[in-house]
Amino acid sequence: MASWLEALDRRAQLRAKAGLTRRLRPRGATDPVVDLAGNDYLGLAHHPAVTVAATEALRTYGLGATGSRLVRGSTDLHSALERALADWFGATRALVYSSGYLANLGAVRALVRPRTLLVSDAHNHASLIDGCRLSGAQTVVTPHADVAAVEEALAAAPGRPAVVVTESVFSVDGDLAPLARLHEVARRHGALLLVDDAHAVGVRGPGGAGAVVEAGLAGAPDVVITATLSKALGGAGGVVAGPAELIRHLVETGRTFIYDTALPPAVAAGVLAAVELARDGDALREELADRAAAAVRHLGRAGLDVSTPAAAVVSVTAPGPEAAAAWAADCLDWGVAVGCFRPPSTPDTRSRLRLTVNVGVPRAEFDRALDVIVECAP
């Protein structure tokens, strides 16, 4: 009767032996830890304009959306947020989801037709990987940021509908995809380009509009943008932006949109306020870039293997999964929270700490946190 529980327990033991145990660590509202693990890059989650907008919407609309977007979940706040995001990204229309994960699942599935070929970067986020798998389409996984490999995959399938799937700033190492070159190759072969701009929105591009805008691809009819609203915008939810025909298709057929309860109106209001702050946040972006560069210098001088960040994600290689977990735990003991990425969260089986620069952290605390990371290094 309990054999399935025994099987689960055995698998947990194997994960523990491999150093892959994961645990929930609840934090309080007044957590004193220096946060270099969360994704609040611009420090907007606690900005007064954001919290006031969310509080007023909470008072007006109540706690939840009370239904899916097509039933009772759509409010004027959702519509205003979609208009603001479309304008920011230079897209015709945008559609807001309750999470970035669901936005990616929905976008990939919507672009698949009979015989579609998906060409997916090896370092893509799990949501894109799952989107490709669940779509049922043939998927070719190409080496990371390898434009020649993408072209080879497309050339091997002449006449077939195809979609090139990539992040802009990759979530593990924080490097930037060659978007302009990928688009050139995709267009030459009649393929679409789907870009998850989650880690670039608010951080890169004019007015923080993201890497797609920065690459000069805004409004291109063969480019689809997805993003989460939970990183530089400090909120929650996801978005798909692109041609009006795509958004209509998602509204009418997208299962992850149709059958999901809508983003709470208070969150939509807070994110809408955050968009306005981010668009006018050049000083925040300058400070973020300065801190990211300082982290690379400081950690590199200590002999650590550190990535060159394209935005706010700094990756530091660890000797292995157990060492990475111990390193992160030691940092936390000294009051510094860092991300700990181990297989299967890493696409190359390499374990690392992931530091996310947050300009809401006082600069002195940020600099001290870098010292702690060096001191705790295995």
Side-chain angles (χ1 to χ4, degrees), residues 41-232:
Y41 302 142
L42 300 181
L44 298 182
H46 289 88
H47 192 286
V50 172
T51 57
V52 166
T55 300
E56 180 59 29
L58 180 64
R59 183 180 298 112
T60 305
Y61 290 89
L63 180 60
T66 76
S68 67
R69 291 288 306 275
L70 288 173
V71 179
R72 289 286 290 170
S74 287
T75 69
D76 52 355
L77 292 172
H78 292 86
S79 296
L81 178 57
E82 287 166 344
R83 289 193 299 270
L85 290 169
D87 179 69
W88 197 19
F89 299 161
T92 305
R93 285 188 61 191
L95 189 66
V96 166
Y97 287 69
S98 65
S99 76
Y101 208 108
L102 292 180
N104 274 344
L105 295 183
V108 174
R109 182 66 188 88
L111 299 179
V112 168
R113 295 179 283 157
R115 300 180 62 246
T116 293
L117 175 69
L118 299 174
V119 182
S120 178
D121 190 285
H123 284 203
N124 275 343
H125 188 266
S127 58
L128 293 174
I129 295 171
D130 285 353
C132 292
R133 290 173 176 171
L134 293 172
S135 74
Q138 180 187 356
T139 302
V140 174
V141 178
T142 52
H144 179 51
D146 190 334
V147 179
V150 171
E151 177 143 39
E152 182 180 352
L154 293 174
R160 290 178 60 180
V163 184
V164 176
V165 181
T166 185
E167 294 183 65
S168 55
V169 173
F170 287 88
S171 55
V172 175
D173 278 336
D175 56 324
L176 182 66
L179 293 182
R181 292 165 56 211
L182 286 172
H183 180 249
E184 179 185 357
V185 167
R187 176 167 285 186
R188 187 159 60 244
H189 291 274
L192 302 177
L193 178 63
L194 171 62
V195 181
D196 181 347
D197 218 10
H199 291 275
V201 166
V203 178
R204 294 192 67 100
V212 173
V213 174
E214 182 181 42
L217 305 180
D222 50 1
V223 174
V224 175
I225 301 170
T226 67
T228 178
L229 310 176
S230 62
K231 294 181 171 49

Side-chain angles (χ1 to χ4, degrees), residues 7 10 32 44 53 57 61 67 110-111 120 140 145 172 192 222 238 241 254-255 257 261 313-314 317 320 331 356 368:
R10 175 58 181 160
L44 298 182
Y61 290 89
L111 299 179
S120 178
V140 174
V172 175
L192 302 177
D222 50 1
R255 295 172 69 85
F257 177 81
T261 298
V313 174
V314 180
T317 300
C331 288
T356 48
R368 181 185 70 81

